Amino acid sequence: MTTEPTDDHGRTHRLELADSTIREWDATVLDASAEGIVLDRSAFYPGGGGQPPDHGVLLWGGVQTRILGVRKSDDLILIPAEGDPIPPVGTAVRGAIEDDRRSALMRTHSGLHLLSGVVFREYGCLVTGGNMEPLTARMDFNLPEVPEGFKERVAEACATEVAADRAIEVSNMSRADAFAIPDIIRTATNLLPPELEVVRIVDIVGLDTQADGGTHVASTRQIGGIEVMKVENKGKGFRRLRVRITDG
Ligand SMILES: [Zn+2]
């Protein structure tokens, strides 16, 4: 089932794909200007799948360059804060991710997978969109009516799945193997590019399996509480759930 990992983006090896717990690492600057910095190794999540990019710093020569985002082109381009010093090409830097933000985003992202797994299992409806900020998120479902007691039942099922402390496992699979999993087909509105031969899979064991490039916590208990704040009617067959991630 396992195939060659796809953890490189351009000239950058992406450390966070194999290990979402990395917060500090050493790297060398391959390209640098006020518009962006390219490293040989980076743990900055560049954004995607609804999860926003990381913030952090590069430490070098007694100064720091704040990183406020990432742009994906042929290379992975780290966006420096305006006016911060830019490390010249060849500089050895220490990269560091802003831990509070990333850890909150990991809990939130895993929480959304748990939520979509629960809503699919209980009501058979599909996710049509979503977005997240640290500890707050929305997810849209293709749900024609809001059934009696929907909000309460979803909240209760989420709490049960958090308490069950299910493992959250990340693996790489060939496209053919991935598409043989019924759950992947259900979420394939994510439109996996046809040239993608290896698919990264995030599996909440026994609950939800999705093709996904994000960073996740290791088990459902690490998410904390999932509070269903609001169910909104956004038009025909289109419901929006707003959730908040709490310390449980
Ligand atoms: Zn995801």
Side-chain angles (χ1 to χ4, degrees):
M1 295 275 271
T2 309
T3 5
E4 285 301 304
T6 53
D7 294 356
D8 291 336
H9 183 115
R11 290 173 287 169
T12 306
H13 184 64
R14 288 181 58 186
L15 303 168
E16 84 284 8
L17 289 173
D19 184 355
S20 64
T21 67
I22 293 174
R23 295 292 181 272
E24 290 188 34
W25 69 100
D26 293 314
T28 302
V29 176
L30 302 180
D31 231 323
S33 73
E35 280 70 56
I37 298 161
V38 179
L39 300 180
D40 61 341
R41 306 162 78 233
S42 170
F44 283 98
Y45 183 67
Q51 182 181 337
D54 287 328
H55 296 170
V57 292
L58 305 180
L59 304 169
W60 55 280
V63 297
Q64 68 168 17
T65 308
R66 288 166 295 165
I67 300 299
L68 301 182
V70 185
R71 194 171 67 244
K72 284 182 277 190
S73 65
D74 290 347
D75 270 316
L76 209 59
I77 299 168
L78 309 181
I79 313 295
E82 211 180 315
D84 277 12
I86 305 297
V89 171
T91 305
V93 298
R94 182 93 180 140
I97 301 292
E98 194 180 293
D99 176 55
D100 282 357
R101 176 182 164 85
R102 160 67 90 71
S103 293
L105 285 167
M106 285 167 58
R107 290 168 58 199
T108 309
H109 197 160
S110 296
L112 286 184
H113 281 220
L114 187 152
L115 176 69
S116 74
V118 159
V119 173
F120 181 72
R121 186 187 65 198
E122 305 286 317
Y123 298 98
C125 56
L126 303 176
V127 174
T128 55
N131 197 30
M132 74 191 86
E133 291 299 325
L135 305 182
T136 164
R138 62 172 170 78
M139 188 159 252
D140 300 333
F141 292 93
N142 159 19
L143 183 67
E145 307 283 330
V146 179
E148 186 71 24
F150 175 75
K151 191 177 154 192
E152 293 71 22
R153 188 166 151 199
V154 169
E156 197 181 306
C158 284
T160 302
E161 295 302 337
V162 166
D165 203 20
R166 292 182 186 273
I168 303 177
E169 295 174 352
V170 176
S171 61
N172 287 304
M173 249 181 226
S174 74
R175 189 185 181 82
D177 284 343
F179 275 87
I181 303 172
D183 273 2
I184 300 300
I185 293 162
R186 126 172 114 76
T187 55
T189 45
N190 290 334
L191 295 176
L192 295 171
E195 69 277 9
L196 204 67
E197 283 168 14
V198 177
V199 180
R200 187 166 178 274
I201 301 294
V202 174
D203 187 24
I204 302 180
V205 176
L207 178 66
D208 181 79
T209 309
Q210 294 189 30
D212 188 86
T215 59
H216 290 267
V217 294
S219 79
T220 58
R221 200 185 281 276
Q222 292 179 19
I223 295 168
I226 301 173
E227 197 176 331
V228 182
M229 307 294 290
K230 213 169 171 190
V231 181
E232 298 169 31
N233 184 354
K234 288 288 178 184
K236 202 164 183 283
F238 174 18
R239 312 289 155 168
R240 174 166 291 171
L241 265 69
R242 292 192 183 275
V243 297
R244 206 158 61 100
I245 304 300
T246 67
D247 285 338

